[in-house]
């Protein structure tokens, strides 16, 4: 009996040492919120790294999803703005082409210029929205729903489940050790304890391999998330910056055109040259003067001139039978000029008197103009 008692005490001390070693290897702070398993330092660091990676990739995934939702909302709103702006452009173009204003075409030209600039700006806005969709939203959406992230998360979750199973196995080993201590050397208890310890070691080995694999996959996904998200944000900023630069150029050009049209409106109206008042009608002697004579009259009422051509600068409507109707642009043959400002000549086959100040002498005239006189 004494020998059996000594053997039991020795076994009890051995089991206690094994139990302490097991609890030392699987310490507290388990992945997934478990705090009952004592692990070694390497496994604990791996577990904590996986926790950080899991939190980081989850936050990045949510951020990517927020960007996608924001960009999609911006595209929807921007598309409506493009539609409204295009309609405004069409209305402005229609007014500029079809207006019937009688006081000038300044507003018509301004409306056409505004229509062209607005249509150009809306096309640039459409290109911006398209780039947001293809260069920002689609790549991030693909990454959020992509296989690498899901595969890495599955590995981390498998590691978590295996760690929980190892924790449960530690408890099982502890129970087997207690039974061995109280079993008075029962061989079955020893064999069951050995089997539990073997299973625990296998779980620990597999858990270490799976943990490293999961950490590597999660780290790769985290790096990809960081790079991809940053690149898409930079691309979005560059596209929007280029859009605003083009819009500024369009607006600067439009402002110049509008300012020019405004100057047309605000400028004082051009002075219209009015014809001088006609002189008193020719005297009776002048009317009955021999048109073929080139000698000066004795009373000095006319003077000798050579025949010459003159262009009518102002329209003149005759008020008597001896006067000649003239239209601006006509050519007349002037045969005599009176001292009182009247001239006698022929235009379009008719002869008569007219105010000499309405005529401007022409030295050189096209032959076609000369034929119009006779």
């Amino acid at each position: 009996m004494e020998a059996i008692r000594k053997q039991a005490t020795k076994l009890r001390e051995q089991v206690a040492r094994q139990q302490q070693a097991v609890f030392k290897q699987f310490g507290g702070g388990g992945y997934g919120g478990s705090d009952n398993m004592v692990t070694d330092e390497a496994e604990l660091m791996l577990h904590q790294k996986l926790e950080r990676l899991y939190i980081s990739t989850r936050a990045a995934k949510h951020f990517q999803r927020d960007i996608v939702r924001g960009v999609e909302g911006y595209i929807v709103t921007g598309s409506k703005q493009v539609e409204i702006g295009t309609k405004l452009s069409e209305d402005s173009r229609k007014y500029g082409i079809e207006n019937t204003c009688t006081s000038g075409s300044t507003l018509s030209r301004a409306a056409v210029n505004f229509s062209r600039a607005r249509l150009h700006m809306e096309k640039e806005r459409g290109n911006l929205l398209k780039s947001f969709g293809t260069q920002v939203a689609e790549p991030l959406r693909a990454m959020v729903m992509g296989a690498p992230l899901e595969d890495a998360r599955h590995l981390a979750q498998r590691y978590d489940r295996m760690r929980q199973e190892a924790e449960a196995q530690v408890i099982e080993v502890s129970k087997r050790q207690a039974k061995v201590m109280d079993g008075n050397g029962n061989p079955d208890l020893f064999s069951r304890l050995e089997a539990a310890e073997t299973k625990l070691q296998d779980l620990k080995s597999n858990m270490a391999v799976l943990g490293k694999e999961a950490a590597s996959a999660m780290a790769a996904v985290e790096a990809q998330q960081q790079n991809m998200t940053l690149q898409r944000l930079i691309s979005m900023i560059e596209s929007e910056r280029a859009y605003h630069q083009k819009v500024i150029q369009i607006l600067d050009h439009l402002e110049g055109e509008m300012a020019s049209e405004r100057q047309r409106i605000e400028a004082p109206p051009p002075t219209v040259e009015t014809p001088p008042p006609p002189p008193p009608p020719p005297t009776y002697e002048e009317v009955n003067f021999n048109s073929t004579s080139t000698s000066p009259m004795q009373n000095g009422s006319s003077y000798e001139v050579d025949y010459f051509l003159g262009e009518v600068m102002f329209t003149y409507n005759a008020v008597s039978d001896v006067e000649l109707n003239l239209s601006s642009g006509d050519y007349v043959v002037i045969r005599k000029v009176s001292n009182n400002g009247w001239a006698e000549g022929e235009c379009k086959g008719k002869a008569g008197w007219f105010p000499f100040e309405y005529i401007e002498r022409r030295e050189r005239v096209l032959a076609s103009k000369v034929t119009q006189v006779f």
Side-chain angles (χ1 to χ4, degrees):
M1 292 296 296
E2 185 65 24
I4 295 175
R5 190 179 295 108
K6 288 182 180 181
Q7 186 177 1
T9 302
K10 184 178 180 180
L11 182 60
R12 189 182 300 112
E13 293 174 353
Q14 182 180 358
V15 170
R17 288 193 299 269
Q18 291 177 348
Q19 187 177 12
Q20 291 176 0
V22 169
F23 279 104
K24 182 177 180 181
Q25 290 177 351
F26 294 88
Y31 180 73
S34 175
D35 298 326
N36 298 322
M37 191 165 69
V38 180
T39 61
D40 57 22
E41 184 176 357
E43 198 281 330
L44 181 60
M45 292 179 61
L46 178 61
H47 171 65
Q48 292 174 347
K49 179 180 179 180
L50 270 174
E51 281 185 329
R52 291 191 297 268
L53 286 170
Y54 195 91
I55 294 172
S56 172
T57 54
R58 180 178 59 189
K61 176 182 178 180
H62 291 169
F63 180 47
Q64 290 175 333
R65 186 178 297 163
D66 292 340
I67 294 175
V68 171
R69 290 173 179 172
V71 169
E72 289 176 344
Y74 189 91
I75 292 174
V76 171
T77 304
S79 299
K80 185 62 177 179
Q81 291 177 333
V82 170
E83 180 181 348
I84 296 173
T86 303
K87 180 63 167 59
L88 176 59
S89 172
E90 178 60 23
D91 292 341
S92 300
R93 186 194 66 83
K94 184 177 180 181
Y95 173 82
I97 293 176
E98 300 178 359
N99 85 92
T100 57
C101 181
T102 59
S103 61
S105 57
T106 300
L107 181 58
S108 300
R109 291 192 298 270
V112 172
N113 293 336
F114 175 81
S115 171
R116 182 175 61 252
R118 173 56 58 184
L119 183 62
H120 193 183
M121 285 190 291
E122 298 309 330
K123 287 183 178 179
E124 292 297 337
R125 189 196 299 269
N127 293 336
L128 173 67
L129 299 178
K130 183 178 179 181
S131 68
F132 277 4
T134 57
Q135 299 181 18
V136 181
E138 292 180 5
L140 292 180
R141 185 187 303 109
M143 189 167 189
V144 169
M145 306 300 296
L149 175 60
E150 292 302 316
D151 292 344
R153 291 166 66 94
H154 289 161
L155 285 174
Q157 291 167 358
R158 284 178 53 194
Y159 168 81
D160 184 43
R161 289 193 295 269
M162 185 173 292
R163 199 167 192 275
Q164 292 176 359
E165 185 178 355
E167 180 183 18
Q169 189 62 26
V170 168
I171 297 175
E172 180 66 21
V173 168
S174 178
K175 291 180 179 179
R176 296 292 180 185
Q177 290 173 343
K179 290 182 178 180
V180 168
M181 294 175 61
D182 297 335
N184 297 324
N186 189 336
D188 292 338
L189 297 178
F190 280 103
S191 60
R192 292 174 184 175
L193 176 61
E194 291 178 356
E197 291 176 344
T198 301
K199 182 178 180 180
L200 179 60
Q201 293 300 323
D202 292 341
L203 286 173
K204 178 182 177 182
S205 177
N206 294 336
M207 186 178 65
V209 175
L210 184 59
K212 292 179 181 179
E213 184 179 355
S216 177
M218 293 287 285
V221 169
E222 182 188 49
Q224 186 181 12
Q225 283 179 328
Q226 298 292 311
N227 293 334
M228 171 70 75
T229 306
L230 178 60
Q231 290 174 2
R232 295 310 94 198
L233 287 176
I234 293 175
S235 176
M236 183 167 62
I237 293 172
E238 291 176 345
S239 298
E240 196 162 8
R241 180 174 178 269
Y243 160 74
H244 286 297
Q245 287 179 336
K246 292 178 181 178
V247 168
I248 288 175
Q249 293 175 357
I250 297 171
L251 290 175
D252 286 342
H253 182 69
L254 177 61
E255 183 184 20
E257 293 177 332
M258 291 295 190
S260 177
E261 297 299 337
R262 182 175 60 187
Q263 290 176 359
R264 294 174 185 269
I265 296 177
E266 296 177 351
T271 57
V272 179
E273 186 177 1
T274 57
T283 64
Y284 175 80
E285 290 79 6
E286 291 173 335
V287 170
N288 293 279
F289 183 79
N290 184 0
S291 62
T292 61
S293 175
T294 59
S295 300
M297 298 181 63
Q298 297 299 323
N299 59 7
S301 62
S302 65
Y303 55 89
E304 181 182 358
V305 295
D306 294 331
Y307 289 176
F308 63 89
L309 283 176
E311 182 181 356
V312 179
M313 305 307 297
F314 305 102
T315 300
Y316 178 73
N317 296 318
V319 296
S320 66
D321 294 339
V322 298
E323 297 178 15
L324 191 63
N325 287 315
L326 299 177
S327 298
S328 178
D330 290 345
Y331 283 83
V332 296
V333 175
I334 301 173
R335 295 188 294 231
K336 183 178 62 175
V337 179
S338 174
N339 289 338
N340 62 357
W342 284 82
E344 191 273 333
E346 184 178 351
C347 179
K348 297 181 180 179
K350 295 182 180 181
W353 291 84
F354 47 85
F356 183 64
E357 293 183 357
Y358 283 39
I359 306 300
E360 185 172 332
R361 186 165 181 162
R362 291 287 183 261
E363 300 295 337
R364 296 180 180 179
V365 182
L366 293 176
S368 61
K369 299 295 185 180
V370 176
T371 57
Q372 294 175 5
V373 178
F374 303 100

